[in-house]
Amino acid sequence: MTAADWAARYQADDTPWDLGGPHPELARLLEAGDLAPAAGRDRALVPGCGNGHDARALAAAGWRVTALDCVEGVDAALASDLAASGGELRITDALAFDGEGAFDLVWDHTFFCAIDPTARERWGEMVGRSLAQDGTVVALVFPGDKPVEEGGPPHAFDAVAMGEALGATFGLLHCAPVERGVARRTWSESVARYRRAAADASAAPQAGRS
Ligand SMILES: C[S@@+](CC[C@H](N)C(=O)[O-])C[C@H]1O[C@@H](n2cnc3c(N)ncnc32)[C@H](O)[C@@H]1O
């Protein structure tokens, strides 16, 4: 789908992906302190933010959130709401975004499944250039068990497919079914966390060696 296609869906109020609030599992993780910012490591990136419910929940939990969407004015108040906590809304092609390694967290919820599968490599490159070296990717993996032949969006994927898009420098830390899912969703939902694989210490240059 093009940006114009997404804009038309918002204009027609045809937005079945919109939960009207943050994903319940994101809310649970934030409440449990499982996704808390640390001092000086509080920048979160939310690509394909839509009406920004997740972005707002992250901001309320102390993250400085940069939210990206290709549709102008998905939520008129979102830009000022995020700015109030040091974040911003950018209307742009998220796949072309360059966060210059400034982000400590990338939260993906129904953005990876919204893009065409042929664009997944670009998604991985965007995350790779935007995330800090020790940053974390946390993703709501949905629709996990949708038959691929049904197409999309939403396009089926699993934690392995997302890991392939991120590339070999990332490792999957954890993937588990959500504890709080969305009742109306019939396909499976999981949460996956990835981190860049630690650099190989034996390959690092050492003082006194030529
Ligand atoms: C399925 S919706 C999910 C929205 C939001 N994450 C949510 O859960 O409500 C996908 C969103 O991605 C946006 N989008 C699609 N392609 C995009 C792109 N290349 N760059 C930025 N946003 C994009 C759409 O406008 C839409 O808001």
Side-chain angles (χ1 to χ4, degrees):
M1 290 191 8
T2 65
D5 294 329
W6 287 106
R9 295 288 296 270
Y10 281 101
Q11 275 157 19
D13 207 16
D14 181 13
T15 57
W17 56 82
D18 192 308
L19 302 180
H23 190 287
E25 184 71 356
L26 174 63
R28 187 191 72 75
L29 291 169
L30 293 171
E31 281 163 28
D34 257 359
L35 206 54
R41 299 184 53 205
D42 62 351
R43 293 198 63 190
L45 182 66
V46 182
C49 65
N51 280 316
H53 308 300
D54 291 349
R56 281 194 174 91
L58 287 159
W63 290 96
R64 282 189 295 147
V65 178
T66 295
L68 311 174
D69 208 281
C70 59
V71 177
E72 183 87 51
V74 278
D75 180 314
L78 183 58
S80 54
D81 287 354
L82 295 181
S85 53
E88 62 177 333
L89 171 66
R90 289 206 201 179
I91 303 304
T92 189
D93 178 0
L95 297 174
F97 181 72
D98 185 355
E100 298 180 343
F103 290 91
D104 306 293
L105 170 70
V106 173
W107 166 253
D108 189 295
H109 170 211
T110 55
F111 178 54
F112 189 84
C113 73
I115 59 174
D116 192 88
T118 58
R120 288 177 178 176
E121 196 177 328
R122 292 186 65 210
W123 177 93
E125 289 165 359
M126 177 275 290
V127 173
R129 62 182 175 260
S130 299
L131 201 66
Q133 197 57 38
D134 56 353
T136 307
V137 181
V138 183
L140 201 294
V141 177
F142 167 85
D145 54 357
K146 181 181 180 184
V148 173
E149 56 274 17
E150 287 187 22
H155 296 279
F157 74 102
D158 59 16
V160 173
M162 183 169 257
E164 284 170 2
L166 287 168
T169 59
F170 281 82
L172 177 64
L173 293 177
H174 179 75
C175 183
V178 296
E179 291 185 24
R180 286 194 210 158
V182 175
R184 70 170 186 255
R185 288 187 174 170
T186 52
W187 297 304
S188 70
E189 297 188 284
S190 308
V191 170
R193 288 185 190 231
Y194 305 84
R195 190 162 279 173
R196 259 189 247 268
D200 180 357
S202 64
Q206 294 177 22
R209 286 203 184 164
S210 56

